Amino acid sequence: MNKTGLTGLLLAIALAAGCSKGTEDVAEQAADFSTVLASADGNAEVWLSHGRTYSEQRYSPLKQVTPDNIDQLGLAWAFDLGVSRGIEATPIVADGRIFVTATWNIVYALDAKTGEQLWRFDPQIDRSKSADLCCDAVNRGVALWDGKIITGTIDGRLIALDAATGRKLWDVVTVDQEKPYTITGAPRVVKGKVLIGNGGAEFGVRGYLSAYDVNTGDMLWRFHTVPGNPEKGFESDAMKMAAKTWKGSWWQYGGGGTVWDSMAYDPELDLLYIGVGNGSPWNQSIRSPGGGDNLFLSSIVALRPDTGEYVWHYQTTPGETWDYTATQHMILADLEIKGKKRKVIMQAPKNGFFYVLDRATGQFISANNYVPVNWATHIDPNTGRPVEIAAARYSSGEPYLQLPGPLGGHNWHPMSFSPQTGLVYIPALETPFVYGNDPAFKQSDVAWNVGTDSSFSSLPTDLAQFKAVRAAVKGQLLAWDPVAQKQAWSVDHASPWNGGVLSTAGGLVFQGNANAKFVAYNAGTGERLWDHFAQTGIVAAPISYSIEGEQYIAVASGWGGAFTLIYGGLFPAESSPGVGRLLVFKLGGDAELPVVAERHLRKPTPPALTADSSVLLAGKSLYDANCLVCHGDHAISSGLLPDLRWTPLLGIEDAWNSVLLGGARAAQGMPSFRSQLSKRDSEAVRQYVISQAHKPLEDALK
Ligand code: CA
């Protein structure tokens, strides 16, 4: 954004806010972008930060598009993002430009009215970083601050770009790059400080959030979310307090608690809220034998943005052992509860309960389950703690079939809160999972470190059972009344893993879905009013903005992410990957989406199956530990990455080994597994994949 554009924007905000100051004062204010973001709510035309405003409500005050004219909503333009893996980005709109990220952290700046490309920035990520990705090479968007665009990268860097030209201004490494840290979340900027966390809790890292000077890239402070080795001393009093809730030698496992997505900020209280992730490993009996709450895992933590100083915390899942992150989207709102106006923070974390807390103090107000839950009966209103069902702590007993599973009742897909309806719209999931203790757990830098036995949760190969699992795995759009703590309405989707949500003052709710449809609903009733076929599944969240009096609705399409990679066999054919785009709609829009030729998987005759059952069993176990999270359960690919059953390499042992052990395709994102697998292991995996090629489950389903 150039200086004139910024001043113009500020002037517009000042006028919209009824500000009576002279132009001189306004120009003076331009020096402080804090004011711009803090008053973003009054500026309906733009979308300046991840959740539109610091409250992260994802509610647009624009109301040109309504239930009465939605039938005239059509495609204004579409921009091909040039990638065929998951797109999770929320675009940012300012000064007539729209900024969006694609897979592998490529940033685009486009003309928001026409879709014309203004610049493109590619940080050139080493594709062998794939080995550290739990959940696809995704990114959730950039931050804007006073003419700068800031983006976090998969390899742990934070990069500032000139918003006008895409020229790089600074580039800093925020993690120990020897460790499997990744950044997929969008940075936020508060009072000139860029806030960024990271991911990697499935791989054994220690979580933290850092603040960097937006002008120089210098680090200002760092808040660790779990304590390190007490012998080395604690970084803060908060870590000293947290260490009392851990047992054993947790620091050897990293501990987890990564801050990989959600943040919110209240300028009046001057509190920054961060959502903290799961333990590493998941299984608490390994990580902290003997229990303990394990602070600040699965917590919402309030910090002072100037210093990173701890203010309060609320832990959603004490003694986390199920990958129940509290990194899910947090929304700030002022609600009337029992006749009193309360400043609240709301979250629907993975554990299946919807929480309303006092955001000044962290005090528990209410919670209720928004999806079926069988690990706790309820949240005790006096203590704010879950009342657990004992059998759910699988490490001390039998495997336990649980709801929600590790993908949660709600994952990263953003919710939306409409002050007009008073409802929170949740992209909800029902994903049962069998947790079982893994007595053979070994810490590894490459494979997943979860400490649960994956064989309990593998998809059944029996056709009837497979169909039963597919029927039990569900997705919904839930309209949730946060005051009454109950559902107002819901819409069933064809499968789980649907898009983030936008609500508007036009009385609409927009959401894309796994079936490749972008849909508008009546915000009050859930009635389906309009849809558009996107040719690929949508997981990202929509936004809205306005130029020259016309309201635009934008959403990034592009199927992908964790669930997609693992459970490729469970998804509808319409979700097929291959076309990541930014789709932008307006009333009277009549652009056509170019049709991309349907990709047909070649299915050659698989090599003869010669290995005996002991080799196949060993091969399955090695496959599940090393390959499953990218190439799919039972070697059924999502289509995002090569389906190993049909690769020509499968018939040639040397060629197979050159990739799996030799790293021949590292540049394409397939790292060498030489440190994990011997030549004999590699051959067992090959034989297992051959066996899977002989009985394709999805063919049987047709
Ligand atoms: Ca996790």
Side-chain angles (χ1 to χ4, degrees):
M1 189 185 301
N2 59 39
K3 198 78 190 171
T4 328
L6 175 63
T7 311
L9 182 67
L10 247 165
L11 190 60
I13 291 165
L15 292 175
C19 180
S20 60
K21 286 184 176 177
T23 46
E24 220 171 89
D25 290 337
V26 173
E28 226 175 73
Q29 272 189 338
D32 187 1
F33 203 72
S34 295
T35 316
V36 178
L37 287 190
S39 52
D41 203 33
N43 192 2
E45 279 73 44
V46 287
W47 192 284
L48 297 179
S49 66
H50 194 59
R52 198 181 84 81
T53 59
Y54 277 140
S55 67
E56 305 265 334
Q57 289 184 353
R58 290 181 174 266
Y59 168 79
S60 169
L62 295 171
K63 51 188 177 192
Q64 189 175 69
V65 183
T66 68
D68 291 333
N69 62 20
I70 186 108
D71 57 331
Q72 294 157 43
L73 192 68
L75 191 68
W77 53 267
F79 181 83
D80 193 332
L81 296 167
V83 288
S84 59
R85 290 180 67 165
I87 305 290
E88 298 185 351
T90 295
I92 295 290
V93 179
D95 202 25
R97 301 192 187 105
I98 186 163
F99 304 92
V100 65
T101 56
T103 319
W104 295 115
N105 302 122
I106 294 166
V107 186
Y108 288 98
L110 311 173
D111 182 308
K113 190 180 169 189
T114 65
E116 182 203 351
Q117 181 178 316
L118 303 172
W119 53 259
R120 174 184 187 273
F121 172 79
D122 182 350
Q124 304 288 341
I125 308 295
D126 178 352
R127 301 298 194 252
S128 67
K129 185 67 185 164
S130 284
D132 298 339
L133 305 179
C134 68
C135 311
D136 205 357
V138 293
N139 179 267
R140 294 190 203 89
V142 298
L144 169 78
W145 185 270
D146 199 5
K148 293 184 189 68
I149 289 294
I150 299 103
T151 185
T153 62
I154 282 279
D155 56 2
R157 288 180 289 156
L158 199 58
I159 300 174
L161 307 170
D162 183 325
T165 63
R167 186 174 62 89
K168 188 154 82 178
L169 302 172
W170 51 259
D171 182 344
V172 295
V173 176
T174 71
V175 299
D176 176 352
Q177 287 181 311
E178 296 298 306
K179 295 196 171 133
Y181 282 104
T182 51
I183 294 176
T184 56
R188 311 295 201 278
V189 195
V190 170
K191 300 164 99 177
K193 295 166 185 72
V194 187
L195 304 156
I196 193 72
N198 43 58
E202 271 61 56
F203 297 88
V205 302
R206 180 185 181 200
Y208 57 84
L209 179 90
S210 319
Y212 292 83
D213 184 312
V214 71
N215 292 315
T216 62
D218 294 334
M219 194 177 102
L220 302 171
W221 54 259
R222 177 163 289 176
F223 177 81
H224 285 94
T225 54
V226 298
N229 184 348
E231 279 179 15
K232 292 187 176 169
F234 297 113
E235 291 89 352
S236 63
D237 287 346
M239 284 299 95
K240 201 168 161 186
M241 168 177 91
K244 293 184 180 131
T245 66
W246 290 73
K247 293 179 181 173
S249 306
W250 69 87
W251 59 90
Q252 292 176 6
Y253 302 104
T258 48
V259 184
W260 55 263
D261 195 50
S262 179
M263 289 181 244
Y265 173 61
D266 183 328
E268 221 177 274
L269 297 171
D270 194 31
L271 286 177
L272 168 72
Y273 307 96
I274 62 170
V276 182
N278 57 279
S280 189
W282 296 351
N283 188 335
Q284 195 199 16
S285 71
I286 298 168
R287 185 181 74 232
S288 179
D293 284 356
N294 294 179
L295 293 173
F296 295 103
L297 295 181
S298 307
S299 301
I300 295 172
V301 184
L303 304 173
R304 289 285 169 219
D306 285 330
T307 57
E309 182 197 348
Y310 162 92
V311 180
W312 61 254
H313 78 274
Y314 175 81
Q315 190 173 39
T316 62
T317 313
E320 192 297 295
T321 192
W322 306 280
D323 189 18
Y324 281 171
T325 61
T327 52
Q328 278 56 51
H329 182 192
M330 298 177 291
I331 294 178
L332 313 185
D334 295 345
L335 300 180
E336 195 173 307
I337 297 172
K338 290 180 183 160
K340 261 177 72 183
K341 202 85 168 164
R342 302 289 298 260
K343 288 177 183 294
V344 307
I345 182 167
M346 301 182 281
Q347 190 187 47
K350 276 190 184 176
N351 77 11
F353 289 95
F354 187 94
Y355 294 85
V356 179
L357 310 176
D358 183 312
R359 72 171 178 271
T361 62
Q363 186 202 346
F364 174 87
I365 295 175
S366 64
N368 197 7
N369 61 306
Y370 61 95
V371 287
V373 158
N374 72 350
W375 69 276
T377 55
H378 63 289
I379 309 300
D380 183 326
N382 297 316
T383 62
R385 292 174 70 94
V387 179
E388 285 187 20
I389 292 167
R393 291 223 166 241
Y394 55 92
S395 56
S396 54
E398 295 293 307
Y400 188 72
L401 173 62
Q402 188 159 320
L403 272 166
L407 289 154
H410 167 221
N411 207 288
W412 64 268
H413 313 81
M415 315 187 291
S416 174
F417 170 74
S418 165
Q420 196 179 61
T421 63
L423 299 174
V424 178
Y425 302 94
I426 313 171
L429 307 170
E430 274 181 44
T431 56
F433 186 86
V434 179
Y435 292 91
N437 191 41
D438 177 11
F441 173 79
K442 256 193 347 219
Q443 181 83 355
S444 155
D445 260 1
V446 187
W448 275 38
N449 293 300
V450 292
T452 61
D453 186 338
S454 64
S455 66
F456 294 124
S457 55
S458 194
L459 292 173
T461 46
D462 173 81
L463 190 60
Q465 285 181 25
F466 187 90
K467 283 182 172 171
V469 168
R470 199 156 74 163
V473 173
K474 294 175 193 160
Q476 282 187 322
L477 174 60
L478 280 185
W480 190 261
D481 179 337
V483 177
Q485 282 285 14
K486 64 174 195 198
Q487 180 185 307
W489 54 261
S490 73
V491 172
D492 287 336
H493 290 309
S495 85
W497 213 247
N498 300 286
V501 187
L502 165 75
S503 61
T504 72
L508 295 165
V509 168
F510 290 90
Q511 187 193 27
N513 62 40
N515 261 23
K517 291 276 175 64
F518 184 50
V519 186
Y521 302 91
N522 182 308
T525 64
E527 185 194 351
R528 184 178 176 127
L529 301 172
W530 171 92
D531 68 42
H532 185 272
F533 181 53
Q535 301 175 6
T536 177
I538 295 174
V539 289
I543 64 161
S544 189
Y545 60 94
S546 163
I547 297 176
E548 295 164 11
E550 284 188 302
Q551 182 182 358
Y552 293 82
I553 313 281
V555 69
S557 64
W559 186 233
F563 207 178
T564 313
L565 288 173
I566 299 171
Y567 295 114
L570 287 177
F571 287 97
E574 292 84 357
S575 67
S576 77
V579 272
R581 292 182 172 126
L582 186 64
L583 308 175
V584 180
F585 301 87
K586 65 172 186 177
L587 293 178
D590 58 0
E592 295 276 335
L593 207 53
V595 175
V596 173
E598 206 182 313
R599 288 197 310 178
H600 290 283
L601 287 176
R602 273 192 315 124
K603 290 191 181 172
T605 311
L609 183 58
T610 53
D612 64 28
S613 60
S614 67
V615 171
L616 296 182
L617 209 63
K620 175 174 169 43
S621 153
L622 291 163
Y623 177 92
D624 287 354
N626 295 284
C627 321
L628 178 151
V629 292
C630 286
H631 290 283
D633 196 13
H634 294 297
I636 303 172
S637 168
S638 58
L640 290 179
L641 298 179
D643 194 311
L644 300 181
R645 299 168 302 171
W646 319 123
T647 168
L649 298 173
L650 194 60
I652 313 160
E653 189 183 345
D654 283 352
W656 176 267
N657 285 339
S658 75
V659 174
L660 190 53
L661 306 177
R665 298 223 171 133
Q668 288 83 44
M670 169 61 198
S672 162
F673 279 74
R674 192 195 303 270
S675 65
Q676 293 299 109
L677 302 174
S678 68
K679 212 165 163 182
R680 197 171 141 186
D681 293 340
S682 171
E683 179 57 11
V685 172
R686 187 175 77 96
Q687 292 299 337
Y688 166 68
V689 176
I690 290 174
S691 75
Q692 293 308 103
H694 280 271
K695 47 167 185 179
L697 253 180
E698 70 276 29
D699 282 4
L701 286 169
K702 278 172 194 157

